[in-house]
């Protein structure tokens, strides 16, 4: 009987002898160990680099820089509190920072990663250790994910996949930027996962798992997931363009899955073909990787195909069918590509809809946030971009495009490899160049960053370029190691790139030395691999290059960050004592306890405990910034990083009963306790603020408590002197008391500050230069009287919840109930949208009312839940249709063998093909695609592959 797995041909071929029967294709070996090795390489490089730099947790230098200290560590500390039931608030509302703010947008931005809850496994005092461990874990998972993707998309040695997967995770973007912005590392994982979803879509499998994977990626970090989705779409387009088998068909699915498994099995068994002997002739081709029905261009003679794909010297069986005619092949291919793209759009849309309950509140939270700096994109000089391709370089405003020299060499050699089909070779080379160019062009820069130039690093999408380079490098390796001629061309290209980087000030001697060493090591490994000798030495050379360059880059970046970025005190004994003192004084909700000054980071209430004004987020509400500005508050980061306001009037207004000051907790005077969270004001409109924060405080308080300095600029003896100089930078003082101001709008604004009590008549305050300044004198007796009047008509009881509050009113209360919290979007009181009273949450009191109730729902939550429900219905429908389709296909095929007359022959089980001598070739690969092949005599082998 002829081999039943052969497709129809122009004439029947003689059956092959039993000894020549192809070995069974099997699942690619080395998959788990490849991923594990990649993760191990990554951990070794990151931790080794940090240890070499003597950075936390391996040395005395700390990591508390920029957003890592200001946002990520405090938010993870707050997540620890939430998971252990110790937070003031919940998932919707945070009562601790910013006097009470929406928390769901912050959760979706900083804490929605699947890895974030791991912080709860360590003690709260070790939150920095937990964040570091999560950072390393994310990087290792990214390496494993990329390795799995590489193994699935083409054949190649397992340790090469590990080295390239680790190179992706250890790219310059990850080591220089992702390490202190851990939320972005979820995008590093998302790119290979979304590319894997693209493979599933291309093959028509995993209709349920695909949308779920998209949803997880977008929930983990929507910002970098958006960039990764663009990158995965470009990769899918190249895969559709470079493949010769019409996409979306059963043949395409069979070829894509079967050849990957068989080719990987062959590569694990050892090198084959002309390349194994060290000749310059091209190596073997596999279906879908070379032109159908022909040997690779330039080959002297047809080489052996991968095991299970045909006998030596014969055309690949699966590639013969679509070669009938050019027009007949293009039209089905185009139709198949359109179907794939439609499935990809539906899969992505369904996944994003599933993530909408988090995404929509995050999006609307950004719309309600205080606007950051709007600036035009300024592309980096070309020499600097070339320098950042090399190891051991650092810069904040240039793309961290370093990826190991092994990857650069393989990609640089790709255009010189004539044994690779031109369409495949130039499609990948063109994609690499296009993505690199898009980093530097203004319109594409906006597309990558969701049509808004970021306030910080302008090259946050660089990890996608690293991923594309790694995929292009693997594409070349799928055809075997490059010839000596192609290798020489690749070395010349990398050398030219290095020479082009010489004028850059970011280039270091170590960068050139490690690049040269990496080139030599990688070239040697490729030559050894081509000869099929000393495989262990070749692997050691490549892995050593990846680890050495990444560790050196990590150590260099660690030290440069501390020198160039703002840094903050790390968590230590002083912070532990401060947190313990604040916890002891905490009396929420009867009164607030402000963590005070000096600040440790931008979110001290979340990190140290208590309830204060300090708050730093991408979602800092514009309402809150405007309120704090009107009352004399200070800020940095152009209004998004709010500072604690140490002032007796605002402490009274916001019910602050204790605060940290001068190294200890200072409690309110027992004779003048703080106001409750809810007070009752007379009927009428709220205050209209003016330019003076002193007058604005009085308007909100409802009484005059400040007086102007007397003639000569000195305050009355016994009053407390306050200075407001928002743009001043320097030392201000009165007598022996001194304090530092840090102002200068629009970037920073100095807070209204106390200069102490006027003890000597005629003593004038010392004011640093810079902008306007205003001095006022606080009369404490007037303040006590005003607070006592408000307390007499305040709420008699307040119950706070994780999504709102209920206040019990005094008998006969009329007017407006005012809550000492900013009136941010999402509040509803008594079933109606809440009012604003001088920027605070307010509700009109109905006649006879004994209580007021307010509830908070972040804007977009209901719309997000609706979209999530729609996505769930789409997912269920997709699963239902997919199940029915598989059942119908199974009932038609049944896994049966049909003889020449069409009757059952009692042959092999499903997915097996019967050879002429009774040998079996197991044709089962991952997934079920229902592939079919017919023999020249019309017999059919139908099963699952």
């Amino acid at each position: 009987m002829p081999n039943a797995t052969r497709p129809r041909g122009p004439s029947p071929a003689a059956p092959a002898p039993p000894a020549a029967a192809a070995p069974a294709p099997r699942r690619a070996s080395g998959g788990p160990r490849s991923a594990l090795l990649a993760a191990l390489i990554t951990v070794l490089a990151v931790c080794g680099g940090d240890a070499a730099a003597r950075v936390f947790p391996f040395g005395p230098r700390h990591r508390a820089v920029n957003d890592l200290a200001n946002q990520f560590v405090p938010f993870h500390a707050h997540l620890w509190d939430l998971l252990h039931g110790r937070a003031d608030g919940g998932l919707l509302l945070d009562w601790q920072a910013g006097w009470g703010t929406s928390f769901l947008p912050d959760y979706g931005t900083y804490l929605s990663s699947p890895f974030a809850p791991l912080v709860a496994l360590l003690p709260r005092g070790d939150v920095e250790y937990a964040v570091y461990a999560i950072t390393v874990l994310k990087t290792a998972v990214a390496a494993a994910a990329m390795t799995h993707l590489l193994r699935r998309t083409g054949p190649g040695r397992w340790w090469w996949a590990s080295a390239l997967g680790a190179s992706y995770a250890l790219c310059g973007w990850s080591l220089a930027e992702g390490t202190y912005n851990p939320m972005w590392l979820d995008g590093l994982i998302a790119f290979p996962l979304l590319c894997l979803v693209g493979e599933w879509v291309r093959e028509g499998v995993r209709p349920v798992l695909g949308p779920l994977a998209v949803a997880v990626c977008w929930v983990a970090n929507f910002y970098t997931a958006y960039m990764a989705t663009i990158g995965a779409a470009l990769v899918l387009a190249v895969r559709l363009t470079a493949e010769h088998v019409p996409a979306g068909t059963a043949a395409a699915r069979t070829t894509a899955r079967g050849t990957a498994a068989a080719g990987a099995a062959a590569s694990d068994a050892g090198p084959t073909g002309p390349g194994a002997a060290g000749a310059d002739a091209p190596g073997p081709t596999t279906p879908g990787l070379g032109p159908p029905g022909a040997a690779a261009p330039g080959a002297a003679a047809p080489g052996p195909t991968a095991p299970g794909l045909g006998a030596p010297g014969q055309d690949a069986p699966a590639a013969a069918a679509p070669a009938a005619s050019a027009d007949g092949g293009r039209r089905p291919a185009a139709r198949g590509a359109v179907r794939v793209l439609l499935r990809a759009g539906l899969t992505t849309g369904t996944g994003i809809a599933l993530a909408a309950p988090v995404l929509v509140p995050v999006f609307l939270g950004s719309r309600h946030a205080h606007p950051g700096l709007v600036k035009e994109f300024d592309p980096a000089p070309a020499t600097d971009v070339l320098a950042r391709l090399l190891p051991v370089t650092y810069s904040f405003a240039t793309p961290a495009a370093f990826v190991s020299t092994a990857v650069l060499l393989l990609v640089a050699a790709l255009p010189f490899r004539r044994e690779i089909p031109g369409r495949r070779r130039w499609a990948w080379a063109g994609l690499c160049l296009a993505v690199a160019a898009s980093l530097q062009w203004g319109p594409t820069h906006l597309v990558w960053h969701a049509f808004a130039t970021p306030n910080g690093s302008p090259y946050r999408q660089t990890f996608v370029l690293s991923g594309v380079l790694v995929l292009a490098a693997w594409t070349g390796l799928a055809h075997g190691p490059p010839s000596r001629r192609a290798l020489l061309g690749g070395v010349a290209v990398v050398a030219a790139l290095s020479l082009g980087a010489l004028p850059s000030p970011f280039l270091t001697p170590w960068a050139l030395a490690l690049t040269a060493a990496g080139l030599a090591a990688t070239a040697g490994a490729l030559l050894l691999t081509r000869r099929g000798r000393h495989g262990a030495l070749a692997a050691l050379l490549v892995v050593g290059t990846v680890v050495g360059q990444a560790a050196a880059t990590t150590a260099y970046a660690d030290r440069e960050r501390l020198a160039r970025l703002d840094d903050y005190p790390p968590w230590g004994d002083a912070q532990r004592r401060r947190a313990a003192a604040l916890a002891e004084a905490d009396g929420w909700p009867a009164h607030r306890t402000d963590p005070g000054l000096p600040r440790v980071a931008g979110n001290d209430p979340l990190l140290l405990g208590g309830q204060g004004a300090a708050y730093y987020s991408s979602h800092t509400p514009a309402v809150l910034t405007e309120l704090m500005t009107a009352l004399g508050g200070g800020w940095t980061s152009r209004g998004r990083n709010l500072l604690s306001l140490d002032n007796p009037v605002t402490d009274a207004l916001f019910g602050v009963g204790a605060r940290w000051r001068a190294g200890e907790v200072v409690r309110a005077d027992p004779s003048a306790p703080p106001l409750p969270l809810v007070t009752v004001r007379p009927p009428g409109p709220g205050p209209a603020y003016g330019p003076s924060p002193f007058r604005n405080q009085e308007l909100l308080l409802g009484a005059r408590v400040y007086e102007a300095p007397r003639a000569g600029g000195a305050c009355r003896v016994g009053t407390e002197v306050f200075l407001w100089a928002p743009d001043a930078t320097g030392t201000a003082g009165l007598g022996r008391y001194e304090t530092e101001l840090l102002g200068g709008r629009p970037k920073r604004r100095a807070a209204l500050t106390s200069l102490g009590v006027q003890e000597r008549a005629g003593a004038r305050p010392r004011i640093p230069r810079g902008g306007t300044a205003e001095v006022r004198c606080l009369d404490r007796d007037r303040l006590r009287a005003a607070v006592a009047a408000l307390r007499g008509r305040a709420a008699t009881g307040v119950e706070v919840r994780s999504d709102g509050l209920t206040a019990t009113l005094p008998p006969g209360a009329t007017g407006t109930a005012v809550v000492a919290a900013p009136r941010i979007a999402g509040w509803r009181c008594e079933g109606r949208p809440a009012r604003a009273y001088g920027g605070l949450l307010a509700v009109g009191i109905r006649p006879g009312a004994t209580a007021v109730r307010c509830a908070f729902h972040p804007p977009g939550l209901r719309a997000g839940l609706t979209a999530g429900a729609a996505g769930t219905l789409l997912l269920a429908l997709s699963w239902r249709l997919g199940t029915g389709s598989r059942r119908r296909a199974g009932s038609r095929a049944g896994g049966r063998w049909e003889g020449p007359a069409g009757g059952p022959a009692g042959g092999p089980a499903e997915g097996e093909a019967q050879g002429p001598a009774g040998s079996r070739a197991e044709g089962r690969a991952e997934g079920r695609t229902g592939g079919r092949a017919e023999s020249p005599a019309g017999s059919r082998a139908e099963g699952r592959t």
Side-chain angles (χ1 to χ4, degrees):
M1 180 187 297
N3 189 338
T5 60
R6 290 192 59 209
R8 287 193 299 263
S11 61
R26 57 185 174 88
R27 182 183 178 89
S29 63
R33 65 177 175 176
S34 293
L36 289 175
L37 178 60
L40 179 62
I41 292 172
T42 301
V43 173
L44 179 63
V46 172
C47 295
D50 289 337
R54 302 186 67 201
V55 169
F56 175 91
F58 304 103
R61 294 187 177 94
H62 63 85
R63 300 177 69 239
V65 299
N66 202 262
D67 289 346
L68 181 63
N70 274 326
Q71 295 178 317
F72 300 109
V73 171
F75 275 118
H76 278 81
H78 186 65
L79 179 63
W80 192 98
D81 292 336
L82 279 173
L83 295 174
H84 288 83
R86 290 174 43 178
D88 297 329
L91 187 62
L92 303 183
L93 181 62
D94 170 27
W95 283 110
Q96 293 186 245
W99 301 134
T101 59
S102 178
F103 183 67
L104 186 57
D106 287 334
Y107 173 82
T109 301
Y110 303 104
L111 298 172
S112 53
S113 168
F115 300 92
L118 296 176
V119 72
L121 300 180
L122 273 68
R124 193 185 192 280
D126 294 332
V127 63
E128 285 190 307
Y129 288 95
V131 171
Y132 180 80
I134 290 172
T135 301
V136 176
L137 178 60
K138 286 184 180 182
T139 312
V141 171
M146 177 58 79
T147 302
H148 176 74
L149 175 66
L150 297 178
R151 297 287 291 167
R152 198 184 182 285
T153 54
R157 288 179 176 267
W158 69 272
W159 58 264
W160 261 115
S162 302
L164 295 184
S167 297
Y168 166 72
L170 296 169
C171 63
W173 178 91
S174 170
L175 303 178
E177 297 189 21
T179 188
Y180 72 96
N181 290 282
M183 66 177 184
W184 291 353
L185 292 177
D186 290 286
L188 195 70
I189 302 171
F191 177 71
L193 287 184
L194 293 175
C195 288
L196 182 62
V197 172
E199 292 298 299
W200 295 341
V201 168
R202 198 169 66 93
E203 298 161 12
V205 298
R206 310 288 193 274
V208 174
L209 189 57
L212 290 177
V214 173
V216 170
C217 292
W218 276 74
V219 167
N221 185 252
F222 75 97
Y223 190 49
T224 49
Y226 164 79
M227 301 172 184
T229 302
I230 295 176
L234 295 174
V235 169
L236 177 61
V238 167
R239 294 280 288 171
L240 292 175
T241 302
E243 293 293 340
H244 291 271
V245 179
T249 63
R253 296 192 290 268
T254 302
T255 299
R257 299 301 300 273
T259 58
S267 67
D268 287 335
T272 60
D280 289 334
T285 61
T286 57
L289 303 182
T305 61
L309 301 180
Q314 293 179 342
D315 296 334
S325 69
D327 291 339
R330 289 193 190 102
R331 284 192 295 269
R335 289 194 296 269
V338 170
R339 287 195 296 269
V340 169
L341 293 176
L342 290 176
R343 285 201 303 270
L346 180 60
T347 299
T348 304
T350 302
I352 294 175
L354 291 173
V358 173
L359 296 182
V360 178
V362 168
F363 173 73
L364 292 182
S366 299
R367 292 187 58 183
H368 291 291
H370 181 73
L373 178 66
V374 178
K375 60 181 181 180
E376 294 294 328
F377 170 64
D378 184 20
T383 55
D384 294 345
V385 175
L386 293 178
R388 298 307 308 280
L389 281 169
L390 307 182
V392 196
T393 62
Y394 183 85
S395 169
F396 183 76
T398 56
F402 159 71
V403 65
S404 75
T405 306
V407 174
L408 280 184
L409 179 57
L410 288 169
V411 175
L414 187 61
F416 301 98
R417 301 192 60 181
R418 293 186 298 175
E419 75 273 18
I420 300 178
R423 180 162 62 173
R424 186 177 182 86
R425 177 173 19 127
W426 293 112
W428 280 104
L431 179 62
C432 294
L433 291 175
V435 173
S438 71
L439 270 62
Q440 291 286 90
W441 190 36
T444 49
H445 162 84
L446 290 176
V447 172
W448 280 114
H449 293 92
F451 303 96
T453 297
N455 290 329
S457 170
Y459 293 99
R460 302 179 181 186
Q461 78 279 35
T462 310
F463 71 97
V464 176
L465 173 62
S466 301
V468 168
L469 289 172
V470 168
L471 287 169
W474 181 254
T475 299
L477 281 178
H479 294 264
S483 65
R484 283 193 289 267
R485 180 179 57 190
L487 194 59
L488 183 61
V491 170
V493 170
V494 176
L497 294 175
S498 303
L499 290 175
L502 289 177
S504 173
F506 305 124
L507 191 66
T508 62
W510 277 106
L512 294 174
L514 288 175
T515 300
L519 270 179
T522 306
L526 288 169
L527 291 175
L528 289 174
T529 303
R530 187 169 181 82
R531 293 190 177 98
R533 300 164 55 187
H534 306 292
L537 176 59
L540 185 62
L541 288 173
V542 174
V543 172
T545 297
V546 174
V547 172
Q549 291 184 341
T553 303
T554 299
Y556 184 73
D558 284 342
R559 297 198 175 189
E560 289 296 307
R561 270 194 303 272
L562 279 175
R564 301 188 188 193
L565 299 181
D566 52 312
D567 65 310
Y568 303 87
W571 185 266
D573 292 337
Q575 285 71 36
R576 292 187 183 92
R577 288 193 297 269
R578 186 168 170 180
L582 291 170
E584 184 180 356
D586 196 353
W588 176 258
H591 68 80
R592 285 185 165 109
T593 302
D594 196 309
L597 297 171
R599 70 171 183 166
V600 176
N603 283 291
D604 281 353
L606 304 182
L607 181 65
L608 300 172
Q611 309 82 27
Y615 179 52
Y616 179 33
S617 168
S618 299
H619 305 286
T620 301
V623 169
L624 176 59
T625 300
E626 292 165 3
L627 172 63
M628 295 300 297
T629 300
L631 299 179
W635 40 254
T636 63
S637 300
R638 297 175 175 86
R640 290 192 173 183
N641 191 346
L642 302 177
L643 309 180
S644 175
L645 179 56
D646 189 352
N647 177 268
V649 178
T650 53
D651 279 359
L653 289 169
F654 288 95
V656 176
R659 68 162 49 249
W660 183 268
R661 182 189 297 142
E664 62 180 355
V665 171
V666 178
R667 299 176 184 267
D669 187 349
S671 63
L675 288 170
L677 191 62
V678 179
T679 57
V680 178
R681 308 301 177 94
Y689 294 139
S692 172
F694 299 106
R695 182 57 186 150
N696 294 338
Q697 290 182 7
E698 292 175 333
L699 290 172
L700 192 56
L701 183 65
R704 290 273 190 173
V705 294
Y706 289 104
E707 60 185 44
R710 296 186 174 183
C715 287
R716 177 169 55 87
V717 174
T719 59
E720 188 172 359
V721 181
F722 281 87
L723 169 67
W724 180 60
D727 296 314
T729 297
T731 303
L734 176 67
R736 291 176 295 177
Y737 181 85
E738 291 185 344
T739 187
E740 294 295 322
L741 300 181
L742 183 60
R745 290 173 288 186
K747 187 176 182 180
R748 297 182 299 269
R749 189 177 197 271
L752 184 151
T753 185
S754 172
L755 298 181
V757 176
Q758 185 83 26
E759 298 177 347
R760 185 170 57 88
R764 299 172 58 184
R766 298 183 299 276
I767 304 173
R769 294 180 180 179
T772 61
E774 185 178 359
V775 176
R776 286 292 182 270
C777 318
L778 176 65
D779 188 325
R780 290 273 188 169
D781 292 334
R782 295 182 188 176
L783 177 61
R784 291 190 188 96
V787 171
L790 281 177
R791 187 181 299 110
R793 51 180 187 269
T796 57
V798 179
E799 175 194 355
V800 295
R801 304 183 302 276
S802 61
D803 63 346
L805 60 88
T806 300
T808 303
L809 300 176
T814 59
T816 303
V818 178
V819 183
R823 200 293 186 201
I824 58 176
W827 278 107
R828 294 181 65 87
C829 296
E830 300 298 331
R832 302 187 305 271
R835 292 169 48 189
Y837 184 92
L840 299 183
L841 175 64
V843 54
I845 301 175
R846 296 174 178 175
T850 59
V852 291
R853 298 168 183 82
C854 296
F856 180 79
H857 293 280
L861 179 59
R862 291 182 178 86
L865 291 173
T866 302
T872 303
L873 290 176
L874 283 174
L875 189 67
L877 180 61
S878 176
W879 175 79
R880 181 69 176 174
L881 293 177
T883 302
S885 176
R886 286 191 296 272
R887 287 176 178 172
R888 288 191 297 271
S891 63
R892 288 196 301 266
R896 303 285 296 173
W897 175 274
E898 296 183 4
E910 70 170 347
E912 297 184 353
Q914 182 71 41
S919 62
R920 291 183 177 183
E922 298 176 5
R924 181 183 301 166
E926 299 175 46
R928 301 175 180 177
T929 57
R932 171 185 294 178
E934 296 187 10
S935 72
S939 62
R940 295 186 296 174
E942 194 171 81
R944 298 177 181 175
T945 56

